[in-house]
């Protein structure tokens, strides 16, 4: 019989593509969702994170769990209420899963959970960071440290747990790439700030394939930097997109002060940068990238 993968955040950018790839490989897919809206080919179970409620059947029928749920980091200005939502949506949802796994009989073999390169802080400059680099101290790092501590509650139950510290996911269906590409298509694209801040990126299919391998390969455990092998500067990314789209870049860089006025504290997500090295992926796993090259990735997504 085919294995069942339970997803949280299944309707997001990563979850949607991961569902497609899992089903292509013959897996059954189920979702945990706040609403019992039907999804073609997917069994949907309900949970209420605020009330601490979860349908036990979701846990009891799962062979693997992929936990992607969490409020979008860049979906709005970082008010105090927004910050609470960003943090709570990650930690409380994970704690609820851990409690359900501790309470109900199940046969879950592995738990693969989302994390973020924000663990190292929003701006580490051009200093290479690996999985052994200490955590940062800003808001993004504080959130990610708490997020990973909540994931440790699942590992403490004896379930093999994998945390993927994810970089900027490039997808044609959502995330940063369509927002960056649109002004370039219109002839108004430009680097942000100095343009020299590094972006550690990964193609949507590669991050999904990492999750799939993390579930089934028992050698995967603990934290991995889920990024492509070679980071790129913001200016390098903008120029690469313009080349693929065959559009000129004639606008001056967008000033940092303007972005800070527009986004407030959240401007760190576009003005800061991280040069992330995927050391454990490269040294300890058999994972092979389909899109290790940025130009190849962009041609696939923007063609």
């Amino acid at each position: 019989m085919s294995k069942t993968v339970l997803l949280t955040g299944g309707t997001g950018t990563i979850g949607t593509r991961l569902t497609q790839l899992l089903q292509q490989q013959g897996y059954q897919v189920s979702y945990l969702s706040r609403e019992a809206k039907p999804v073609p080919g997917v069994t949907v179970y309900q949970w209420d994170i605020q009330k601490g409620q979860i349908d036990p059947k979701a846990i009891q029928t799962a062979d693997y769990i992929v936990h992607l749920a969490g409020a979008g980091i860049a979906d709005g200005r970082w008010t105090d209420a927004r910050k609470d939502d960003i943090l709570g949506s990650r930690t409380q949802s994970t704690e609820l899963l851990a409690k359900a796994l501790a309470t109900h009989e199940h046969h879950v073999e592995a738990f693969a959970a989302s994390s973020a390169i924000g663990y190292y802080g929003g701006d580490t400059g051009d200093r290479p960071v690996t999985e052994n680099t200490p955590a940062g101290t800003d808001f993004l790092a504080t959130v990610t440290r708490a997020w990973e501590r909540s994931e440790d509650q699942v590992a403490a139950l004896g379930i093999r747990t994998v945390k993927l510290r994810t970089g900027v996911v490039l997808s044609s269906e959502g995330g940063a790439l369509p927002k960056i590409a649109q002004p370039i298509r219109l002839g108004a694209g430009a680097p942000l700030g100095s343009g020299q801040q590094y972006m550690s990126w990964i193609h949507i299919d590669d991050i999904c394939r990492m999750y799939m391998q993390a579930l089934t390969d028992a050698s995967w455990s603990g934290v991995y930097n889920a990024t492509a092998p070679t980071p790129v500067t913001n200016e390098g990314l903008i120029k690469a997109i313009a080349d693929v789209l065959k559009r000129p870049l004639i606008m001056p860089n967008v000033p940092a002060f303007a972005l800070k006025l527009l986004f407030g504290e959240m401007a760190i997500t576009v003005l800061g940068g991280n040069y992330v090295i995927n050391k454990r992926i490269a040294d300890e796993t058999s994972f092979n990238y389909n899109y290790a090259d940025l130009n190849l990735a962009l041609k696939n997504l923007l063609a």
Side-chain angles (χ1 to χ4, degrees):
M1 294 181 63
S2 60
K3 300 276 190 174
T4 296
V5 181
L6 173 65
L7 269 64
T8 73
T11 57
T13 302
I14 294 176
T16 298
R17 182 57 176 157
L18 180 56
T19 297
Q20 295 171 348
L21 295 178
L22 286 167
Q23 290 174 333
Q24 288 174 13
Q25 293 297 316
Y27 288 92
Q28 299 294 318
V29 177
S30 58
Y31 286 176
L32 270 171
S33 175
R34 288 174 296 180
E35 300 178 359
K37 291 182 179 179
V39 177
V42 174
T43 302
V44 180
Y45 299 100
Q46 280 188 279
W47 66 343
D48 190 318
I49 298 168
Q50 297 299 321
K51 294 181 179 179
Q53 297 174 346
I54 187 170
D55 188 336
K57 292 181 181 177
I59 300 297
Q60 293 164 345
T61 57
D63 295 288
Y64 306 109
I65 298 176
V66 175
H67 182 33
L68 304 170
I73 292 290
D75 287 353
R77 287 179 69 95
W78 289 350
T79 62
D80 288 344
R82 182 67 185 164
K83 285 183 174 181
D84 288 343
D85 188 33
I86 289 171
L87 175 60
S89 64
R90 286 162 171 76
T91 58
Q92 293 170 17
S93 61
T94 312
E95 289 165 359
L96 180 55
L97 285 171
K99 182 179 178 181
L101 287 163
T103 304
H104 302 288
E105 290 189 7
H106 64 82
H107 51 271
V108 173
E109 299 175 31
F111 178 81
S114 179
S115 182
I117 59 174
Y119 176 90
Y120 308 108
D123 187 10
T124 51
D126 59 0
R127 172 172 61 92
V129 297
T130 71
E131 290 87 351
N132 292 325
T133 300
T137 58
D138 61 11
F139 171 66
L140 291 176
T142 300
V143 167
T144 312
R145 290 200 312 272
W147 193 4
E148 291 191 3
R149 284 196 300 269
S150 67
E151 293 163 354
D152 288 339
Q153 296 180 26
V154 176
L157 299 174
I159 298 170
R160 183 171 58 82
T161 297
V162 177
K163 308 171 193 176
L164 295 183
R165 288 179 184 161
T166 309
V168 178
V169 177
L170 299 184
S171 168
S172 59
E173 301 301 321
L177 183 59
K179 297 175 184 177
I180 297 172
Q182 183 60 20
I184 296 174
R185 292 182 193 274
L186 299 175
L192 304 179
S194 70
Q196 299 309 300
Q197 63 273 34
Y198 275 96
M199 299 180 66
S200 295
W201 61 277
I202 187 168
H203 189 287
I204 181 70
D205 283 3
D206 281 336
I207 185 64
C208 289
R209 292 174 53 249
M210 279 186 188
Y211 273 107
M212 294 170 69
Q213 188 165 330
L215 293 177
T216 59
D217 187 336
S219 69
W220 287 57
S221 183
V223 172
Y224 298 83
N225 285 335
T227 58
T230 308
V232 64
T233 63
N234 176 266
E235 182 177 9
L237 176 65
I238 297 298
K239 288 181 176 179
I241 293 172
D243 286 344
V244 170
L245 296 177
K246 296 180 172 55
R247 301 295 295 169
L249 290 175
I250 57 176
M251 303 294 290
N253 289 28
V254 181
F257 76 85
L259 293 166
K260 291 177 181 177
L261 286 174
L262 181 62
F263 296 118
E265 186 182 357
M266 194 180 72
I268 191 67
T269 61
V270 292
L271 292 176
N274 306 95
Y275 194 102
V276 177
I277 305 298
N278 57 349
K279 184 172 177 56
R280 288 199 67 200
I281 294 287
D283 294 351
E284 302 177 25
T285 78
S286 61
F287 184 82
N288 291 312
Y289 289 86
N290 284 346
Y291 299 98
D293 177 77
L294 178 63
N295 287 326
L296 182 63
L298 292 175
K299 287 177 182 178
N300 171 260
L301 294 168
L302 296 175

